[in-house]
Amino acid sequence: MSKLFNELMPYLEKSMAIDTALTLLSWDTETLAPQDAADYTAKVVGLLSGESFSSIVNDDVKKLLKELEKEKAQKELSENEKAIVRNLIRKMQQMEAIPKEDYQAYSEFAAKAQGIWARAKRADRYEDFAPVLEKMLDYQKKFAACRAKKGEDLYNLLLNDYEEGFTKKELDIFFSKIKESIIPLVKQVAAKSNAIDRSFLYGHYDIEKQKEFCRYIAGYVGFDFNRGVIAESEHPFTTNLHNHDVRITNHFHEDNLDSAIFSVIHESGHAIYEMGVSDELTQTPACNISMGMHESQSRFFENIIGRNHAFWEPIYKKLVSYFPEQLSDISLETFVHAINKAEPSLIRTESDELTYSLHILIRYEIECALFSGKATVKDLPELWKQKYKEYLGVTPKNDTEGVLQDVHWAMGSFGYFPSYAIGSAIAAQLYYYMKEHMPFEDYLKEGNLTVIRDFLRDHIHKYGSAKPTMELLKATTGEEFNAEYYIRYLTEKYTKLYDL
Amino acid sequence: MSKLFNELMPYLEKSMAIDTALTLLSWDTETLAPQDAADYTAKVVGLLSGESFSSIVNDDVKKLLKELEKEKAQKELSENEKAIVRNLIRKMQQMEAIPKEDYQAYSEFAAKAQGIWARAKRADRYEDFAPVLEKMLDYQKKFAACRAKKGEDLYNLLLNDYEEGFTKKELDIFFSKIKESIIPLVKQVAAKSNAIDRSFLYGHYDIEKQKEFCRYIAGYVGFDFNRGVIAESEHPFTTNLHNHDVRITNHFHEDNLDSAIFSVIHESGHAIYEMGVSDELTQTPACNISMGMHESQSRFFENIIGRNHAFWEPIYKKLVSYFPEQLSDISLETFVHAINKAEPSLIRTESDELTYSLHILIRYEIECALFSGKATVKDLPELWKQKYKEYLGVTPKNDTEGVLQDVHWAMGSFGYFPSYAIGSAIAAQLYYYMKEHMPFEDYLKEGNLTVIRDFLRDHIHKYGSAKPTMELLKATTGEEFNAEYYIRYLTEKYTKLYDL
């Protein structure tokens, strides 16, 4: 190990330890902590965030990084060490211009914001959340302004944090393609909405049985219960302390069967990614995977695998055995059609593959408006309704199923949403490559997901963020990021499904 | 606030934040974390423990404490600030002589030890745990030696950590009184073992129903679910992040009813204590309550309240409603006798009030032997069996129900066990005082635990460790610690129960 890198290690380790604690505190708050704990625990989160900040943003680390960037020093580094340095430099650039006190105060505030959002959502009281959202937005703008170059667009900075190389320029092109191809397709499908029946997926589905089946299917797709746990939360999510402790949550509805199933497959996709990061990279800065790549794997498992006819062939009878009363008269064919039915709807996380990208488009446009000053926090409920009407032809009857539905803004995640669409596009690109190089559907029919998972692990998961997302995608598929695959995938799939 | 104290604050806050994270990591490991996480998470625990150590043990804090100890500085401090300084000085004395690297390595090791113990216990393989115990003991001896004065006994040092003022001298006197009075009483009771029937407490008791009833009874005795949660673990315990986030665990057996009930009342006693600490003291060093005082409250709730006939009068019918098949023919009288039956047994946590102190005596004598060199780790399984034979007349058939039963040594807690007996004695002393000053049993009969709880909160709980245990006991009861009350309590209770 190079002497310089060796000197960096204690800072990396301290930062990793504190960040792991912060991850656990956040997990615990979402899944278990008692309701009155928030203010006292937020103080702890603020203090630890301040420690995390100064464990990296300090003169010693800055000096070391300056030295490590030099060609001579780089030569002495292993590939992994180079990746760690590269990721750390990126983090330093994002944080060094922010005053520590502000970062700490923000972190304490953010630790409370999610609870306020959850209560406002339950009570349908946007007015309770609005001041928090205002403050959150101010913080994000202020922090972005601290590090922006002269004239640089603040929203672009945030977009680039979640997915390197993606700014409004790239996303405008991406989303205009989506609009052009997907909106007409959605209209064609909507015209044939009676062609597919989903009604049997609603009704009474015992939650304990749902839980059992969801555990089964998580294991079936590759979730390793020796290295992970499943809990419950308002909004399903994945987190991890390291590659040997990966956690997902789920959310159950007694009157619906497929929501929990596809949530758990989605989160298992994230989890399998984290479990696949190599032991050499976990607990280092080179395991902070880009959100686009992360969502590519969750969406790959949820949709390309999970909604595939071939996937259900070997296991549908298992599902029927859990719910014989509701499903024994439902054929595999009918079931697979139902879980793929596309129709304009209000809730992003429950939406089908085809309309999904329009939900993202709406959020992207709203975030653009918020950052350009064309809209204010006060305008959001109305703007949300207008855009849903415009793009999907449906109107939320309240804010709970409208602007309050997602947790992201309460977490300060502005610029995150486009990653879902980028991820879906990467998933489609990977799918076409894999189909060409392996009998993909045959593996699914055999219940053999190992080959598929191994491919993803060996080409993508194990690298963590040691290689940039777009470089990894090119190395895997031999091609640059190409949104056409996504459009082709949706077009082929829905043309066939609806016989268009 | 005094200027000096003000300068101390950032150190206190940093240390508090890191210690809270460590508490949460430990809770999570015991209740949720996946089995393969241990080694990676232990690294995090080691690093954070090192940070915790150096947040307090450093030249700045040492210098500040030296100044704050002076009479002039003390005059400028509030009572709470004085208590914080006093507790911090005690902590500094315990830690400053230990090298940070050793403390960090020990903490990483300790984070793994409990998992190794749990597996060894399940598999009845003492040989798997023995090397860990050996290493743990070496660490504890080494750390005690670091801070011992010349010729000072190392075990005395540890005993004094858990309960200030208690060394082998005081405990030898205490336990010789116990032996003298309790052993003959146990024999008398054993001779009438047929007088009380406990058999109906074994049989099939649905675990989901037990869980529900245990939640009910935790709330009934005063556990506040807005400020606390209940989970499950191998060994029931209580922990807290602060006074607004207090957590207990329980452990259920399908073939026994009262184990889980008395565990949850015991842990609720601990929890009510922590919830009662004042907001001004929580998250400061003046909330680290002595183990004897802590156990006094858990044992007070479990035994003096929970095994009291008057306590069950208003709620026994509730219990019967959960288990009508098993209990509708059992009278309140028979039930209360059964939950108080005394008989020599193998497992401390399941043992009755009368024989309990003998379980503690055995552990105390074994710890004395370990520290004096009269016994080695290798000898423990045999020594354990001998002592159980000698004091209780029963012999464990394996190590799972013998030397492996308790988690304490795997946690490095040598010198802790006597606190259970001291706590039981304090509980009895409080009981006689309260009985004289309030209609104690009448309150229980009315289901009015509020007055009792308020008394304990106002005289004990709210002070955290702002006042030393024995000072608090004297301020509450007007009397020094007096073990005679414990002996009197057990003698009166069991003489009456068994009509001796």
Side-chain angles (χ1 to χ4, degrees):
Chain A
M1 198 184 273
S2 97
K3 191 173 157 287
L4 276 173
F5 191 84
N6 218 13
E7 285 177 41
L8 192 62
M9 281 300 287
Y11 300 97
L12 293 181
E13 291 199 322
K14 178 173 170 181
S15 145
M16 175 279 287
I18 296 170
D19 289 350
T20 305
L22 284 164
T23 300
L24 183 59
L25 277 156
S26 166
W27 158 269
D28 185 80
T29 297
E30 295 313 306
T31 56
L32 184 70
Q35 67 174 43
D36 290 358
D39 288 356
Y40 290 78
T41 301
K43 190 177 173 190
V44 173
V45 170
L47 287 161
L48 289 176
S49 300
E51 287 302 314
S52 166
F53 184 94
S54 48
S55 68
I56 293 300
V57 183
N58 62 61
D59 291 343
D60 293 342
V61 175
K62 279 183 203 168
K63 210 176 131 199
L64 282 167
L65 285 180
K66 210 156 263 166
E67 289 300 313
L68 281 160
E69 267 187 300
K70 290 181 185 163
E71 207 186 316
K72 190 167 158 278
Q74 284 278 313
K75 276 186 191 155
E76 289 177 26
L77 297 180
S78 71
E79 284 307 307
N80 282 348
E81 288 166 358
K82 275 184 207 162
I84 289 166
V85 169
R86 188 176 63 77
N87 278 275
L88 194 61
I89 289 171
R90 192 165 142 82
K91 187 170 176 181
M92 181 69 88
Q93 286 164 349
Q94 287 167 4
M95 294 180 79
E96 65 182 338
I98 299 172
K100 181 188 166 184
E101 295 66 35
D102 288 357
Y103 184 76
Q104 182 165 329
Y106 163 73
S107 302
E108 183 170 342
F109 159 71
K112 299 180 206 170
Q114 251 176 284
I116 298 170
W117 161 78
R119 283 191 293 279
K121 181 180 173 182
R122 275 195 294 273
D124 186 30
R125 286 178 60 87
Y126 181 73
E127 61 272 35
D128 292 351
F129 178 55
V132 170
L133 181 53
E134 190 84 62
K135 194 169 169 184
M136 189 60 97
L137 193 61
D138 285 348
Y139 265 122
Q140 291 295 333
K141 283 182 180 171
K142 184 178 167 187
F143 290 168
C146 284
R147 60 192 168 103
K149 294 188 196 89
K150 209 184 156 189
E152 198 175 10
D153 183 90
L154 301 186
Y155 187 49
N156 273 346
L157 259 179
L158 299 180
L159 287 169
N160 192 61
D161 285 349
Y162 291 107
E163 200 53 64
E164 225 173 329
F166 278 79
T167 62
K168 285 194 283 187
K169 188 178 151 217
E170 289 78 16
L171 286 167
D172 283 344
I173 296 169
F174 176 71
F175 281 114
S176 74
K177 281 184 192 168
I178 300 263
K179 275 200 245 187
E180 206 176 292
S181 323
I182 304 304
I183 292 179
L185 196 53
V186 169
K187 284 189 180 148
Q188 280 181 280
V189 165
K192 296 186 80 169
S193 81
N194 291 335
I196 293 178
D197 175 27
R198 267 182 61 82
S199 63
F200 67 91
L201 293 172
Y202 305 93
H204 183 82
Y205 285 93
D206 181 72
I207 285 184
E208 286 310 311
K209 283 191 184 166
Q210 286 196 50
K211 280 186 195 170
E212 264 185 65
F213 184 76
C214 283
R215 275 185 76 82
Y216 161 76
I217 207 163
Y220 183 82
V221 299
F223 185 89
D224 180 351
F225 285 92
N226 290 332
R227 295 168 70 168
V229 294
I230 305 185
E232 283 177 64
S233 67
E234 173 72 25
H235 208 301
F237 69 93
T238 303
T239 191
N240 76 94
L241 305 193
H242 42 69
N243 69 349
H244 282 67
D245 188 335
V246 182
R247 295 156 183 229
I248 66 181
T249 67
N250 203 353
H251 190 154
F252 298 92
H253 310 272
E254 201 162 60
D255 57 0
N256 172 245
L257 175 62
D258 61 339
S259 169
I261 292 175
F262 288 99
S263 285
V264 84
I265 301 177
H266 178 99
E267 303 306 335
S268 293
H270 282 306
I272 288 162
Y273 200 152
E274 292 293 347
M275 287 168 175
V277 171
S278 80
D279 288 350
E280 290 70 39
L281 294 173
T282 195
Q283 299 187 313
T284 79
C287 70
N288 301 317
I289 298 153
S290 88
M291 283 306 134
M293 198 50 134
H294 230 307
E295 293 298 338
S296 82
Q297 298 307 289
S298 54
R299 306 269 307 152
F300 190 91
F301 275 85
E302 175 189 350
N303 295 321
I304 291 180
I305 291 179
R307 297 188 199 271
N308 198 311
H309 190 287
F311 173 75
W312 286 98
E313 284 184 36
I315 60 167
Y316 180 59
K317 59 182 182 304
K318 178 100 183 176
L319 178 62
V320 176
S321 77
Y322 277 85
F323 304 103
E325 208 179 305
Q326 298 90 333
L327 298 180
S328 49
D329 290 344
I330 306 293
S331 71
L332 169 65
E333 217 58 30
T334 307
F335 175 75
V336 174
H337 277 169
I339 59 173
N340 281 295
K341 176 167 187 165
E343 56 190 343
S345 64
L346 292 167
I347 309 296
R348 175 184 63 83
T349 54
E350 307 288 322
S351 71
D352 59 86
E353 261 184 292
L354 181 61
T355 58
Y356 187 85
S357 55
L358 302 182
H359 291 265
I360 301 304
L361 168 65
I362 290 169
R363 285 153 179 78
Y364 170 65
E365 291 188 353
I366 291 176
E367 287 186 345
C368 286
L370 267 179
F371 275 83
S372 69
K374 283 185 191 144
T376 66
V377 164
K378 199 167 56 63
D379 305 330
L380 294 197
E382 264 322 298
L383 188 58
W384 190 280
K385 285 176 185 167
Q386 278 169 30
K387 294 219 176 260
Y388 264 79
K389 180 82 190 144
E390 180 186 348
Y391 288 122
L392 284 157
V394 291
T395 310
K397 64 177 183 300
N398 57 40
D399 295 329
T400 301
E401 60 181 34
V403 66
L404 283 173
Q405 73 181 259
D406 288 313
V407 66
H408 301 64
W409 294 338
M411 297 168 68
S413 302
F414 298 93
Y416 185 123
F417 284 117
S419 304
Y420 289 107
I422 296 166
S424 300
I426 292 174
Q429 185 168 344
L430 287 170
Y431 176 51
Y432 280 102
Y433 177 83
M434 288 168 80
K435 256 166 73 107
E436 222 172 89
H437 293 82
M438 62 170 78
F440 190 87
E441 266 78 14
D442 288 344
Y443 287 142
L444 294 184
K445 281 180 199 171
E446 293 161 12
N448 176 8
L449 273 72
T450 314
V451 188
I452 296 170
R453 220 165 39 231
D454 285 356
F455 177 90
L456 294 171
R457 191 194 57 219
D458 294 343
H459 289 81
I460 296 172
H461 303 174
K462 72 175 183 188
Y463 293 107
S465 56
K467 298 187 178 188
T469 291
M470 295 305 154
E471 199 179 305
L472 212 49
L473 182 64
K474 189 171 178 192
T476 305
T477 64
E479 204 180 331
E480 305 282 347
F481 173 76
N482 182 349
E484 294 302 334
Y485 287 109
Y486 183 36
I487 289 160
R488 178 177 154 198
Y489 167 74
L490 291 174
T491 308
E492 285 181 0
K493 175 166 182 169
Y494 284 94
T495 305
K496 190 174 163 217
L497 190 71
Y498 279 88
D499 205 8
L500 299 175
Chain B
M1 199 185 273
S2 99
K3 190 172 157 289
L4 276 173
F5 191 84
N6 216 13
E7 283 176 43
L8 191 63
M9 280 300 287
Y11 299 97
L12 293 181
E13 291 199 322
K14 180 174 169 182
S15 147
M16 176 279 288
I18 295 170
D19 289 350
T20 306
L22 284 165
T23 301
L24 184 60
L25 277 156
S26 167
W27 158 270
D28 185 81
T29 297
E30 293 313 306
T31 56
L32 184 70
Q35 67 173 43
D36 289 358
D39 288 356
Y40 291 78
T41 300
K43 189 177 174 189
V44 173
V45 169
L47 288 161
L48 290 176
S49 300
E51 287 302 316
S52 166
F53 185 94
S54 48
S55 69
I56 294 299
V57 182
N58 62 61
D59 291 343
D60 294 342
V61 174
K62 279 181 203 169
K63 210 175 132 201
L64 283 168
L65 285 180
K66 211 157 261 168
E67 290 300 314
L68 281 160
E69 266 187 299
K70 291 180 184 163
E71 206 187 318
K72 190 168 158 275
Q74 284 278 313
K75 278 188 190 151
E76 289 177 28
L77 297 180
S78 70
E79 284 307 306
N80 282 349
E81 287 165 0
K82 275 183 206 163
I84 290 167
V85 169
R86 189 177 62 79
N87 278 277
L88 194 61
I89 288 171
R90 192 165 141 83
K91 188 171 176 181
M92 181 69 88
Q93 287 165 348
Q94 286 167 5
M95 295 179 78
E96 65 182 336
I98 300 172
K100 181 187 166 183
E101 296 64 34
D102 287 357
Y103 184 76
Q104 182 165 328
Y106 163 73
S107 302
E108 183 169 343
F109 159 70
K112 297 179 205 168
Q114 252 176 283
I116 298 170
W117 162 77
R119 283 190 293 278
K121 180 180 173 180
R122 275 196 294 273
D124 186 30
R125 287 179 60 87
Y126 180 73
E127 62 271 35
D128 292 351
F129 178 55
V132 170
L133 181 54
E134 190 84 65
K135 194 168 169 184
M136 189 60 96
L137 193 62
D138 286 348
Y139 265 122
Q140 292 295 333
K141 284 181 180 172
K142 184 178 168 186
F143 290 169
C146 285
R147 60 192 169 102
K149 293 188 195 89
K150 209 184 157 191
E152 198 174 10
D153 184 89
L154 301 185
Y155 186 49
N156 273 346
L157 259 179
L158 298 180
L159 288 169
N160 192 63
D161 285 349
Y162 291 106
E163 201 54 63
E164 225 172 331
F166 279 78
T167 63
K168 284 194 283 187
K169 189 178 150 216
E170 289 78 16
L171 286 167
D172 283 344
I173 296 170
F174 177 71
F175 281 114
S176 72
K177 283 184 192 172
I178 300 262
K179 274 199 245 187
E180 206 175 294
S181 324
I182 305 303
I183 292 180
L185 196 55
V186 168
K187 284 189 180 148
Q188 281 181 279
V189 165
K192 295 185 78 170
S193 80
N194 291 334
I196 294 178
D197 175 27
R198 266 182 62 83
S199 63
F200 67 89
L201 293 172
Y202 305 94
H204 183 81
Y205 285 93
D206 181 73
I207 284 184
E208 286 308 313
K209 282 190 184 166
Q210 285 196 50
K211 280 187 195 169
E212 262 183 67
F213 184 76
C214 283
R215 275 185 77 82
Y216 162 76
I217 206 162
Y220 183 81
V221 299
F223 185 89
D224 180 349
F225 284 94
N226 290 331
R227 296 168 69 170
V229 295
I230 304 184
E232 283 176 66
S233 67
E234 173 71 26
H235 209 301
F237 68 94
T238 304
T239 191
N240 76 96
L241 304 193
H242 41 69
N243 69 348
H244 282 67
D245 188 335
V246 182
R247 295 154 183 231
I248 65 182
T249 67
N250 203 353
H251 190 155
F252 297 92
H253 310 272
E254 203 161 58
D255 57 359
N256 172 244
L257 175 61
D258 60 340
S259 169
I261 292 176
F262 288 99
S263 286
V264 85
I265 301 177
H266 178 99
E267 303 306 335
S268 293
H270 282 305
I272 289 162
Y273 200 153
E274 292 293 349
M275 288 169 175
V277 171
S278 81
D279 288 350
E280 290 69 40
L281 294 173
T282 195
Q283 299 188 314
T284 78
C287 70
N288 301 318
I289 298 153
S290 89
M291 282 307 133
M293 198 50 135
H294 230 308
E295 292 298 338
S296 81
Q297 298 305 291
S298 54
R299 305 271 304 155
F300 190 91
F301 275 84
E302 176 190 349
N303 295 320
I304 291 182
I305 291 179
R307 296 188 200 270
N308 197 312
H309 190 288
F311 173 75
W312 285 99
E313 285 185 34
I315 60 168
Y316 180 60
K317 58 182 183 303
K318 178 100 182 175
L319 178 62
V320 177
S321 77
Y322 278 85
F323 304 103
E325 209 178 304
Q326 298 90 332
L327 298 180
S328 48
D329 289 341
I330 305 293
S331 71
L332 169 64
E333 217 59 30
T334 307
F335 176 75
V336 173
H337 277 168
I339 59 173
N340 281 296
K341 177 167 186 165
E343 55 190 343
S345 64
L346 292 166
I347 308 296
R348 176 184 62 84
T349 55
E350 308 288 322
S351 71
D352 58 87
E353 261 184 291
L354 181 61
T355 58
Y356 188 84
S357 55
L358 303 182
H359 292 265
I360 301 303
L361 168 65
I362 291 169
R363 286 152 178 80
Y364 170 65
E365 291 188 352
I366 291 176
E367 288 186 346
C368 285
L370 267 178
F371 276 82
S372 69
K374 284 186 190 144
T376 66
V377 164
K378 201 167 56 64
D379 306 329
L380 296 196
E382 265 322 298
L383 189 57
W384 190 280
K385 285 176 187 168
Q386 277 168 29
K387 293 214 175 264
Y388 264 78
K389 183 79 190 147
E390 180 186 349
Y391 289 122
L392 284 157
V394 292
T395 310
K397 63 177 183 300
N398 56 41
D399 295 329
T400 300
E401 58 181 35
V403 67
L404 283 173
Q405 73 180 258
D406 289 312
V407 65
H408 301 62
W409 293 339
M411 297 168 68
S413 300
F414 297 94
Y416 184 122
F417 285 118
S419 305
Y420 289 107
I422 297 167
S424 301
I426 293 174
Q429 185 168 344
L430 287 170
Y431 176 52
Y432 281 101
Y433 178 84
M434 289 169 79
K435 255 165 74 107
E436 223 173 87
H437 293 82
M438 61 169 76
F440 191 86
E441 265 77 15
D442 289 345
Y443 286 143
L444 294 184
K445 281 180 197 169
E446 291 161 14
N448 177 8
L449 274 72
T450 313
V451 188
I452 296 170
R453 221 166 36 232
D454 285 355
F455 176 90
L456 294 170
R457 190 195 58 219
D458 294 342
H459 288 82
I460 297 173
H461 303 175
K462 72 175 184 190
Y463 294 107
S465 56
K467 298 186 177 189
T469 291
M470 295 305 154
E471 198 179 307
L472 212 49
L473 181 65
K474 189 172 178 192
T476 305
T477 65
E479 205 180 330
E480 306 282 348
F481 173 77
N482 182 350
E484 294 302 333
Y485 287 109
Y486 183 36
I487 290 160
R488 176 177 157 198
Y489 167 75
L490 291 174
T491 309
E492 286 181 0
K493 175 166 182 172
Y494 284 93
T495 304
K496 189 175 164 217
L497 190 72
Y498 280 88
D499 205 8
L500 299 175

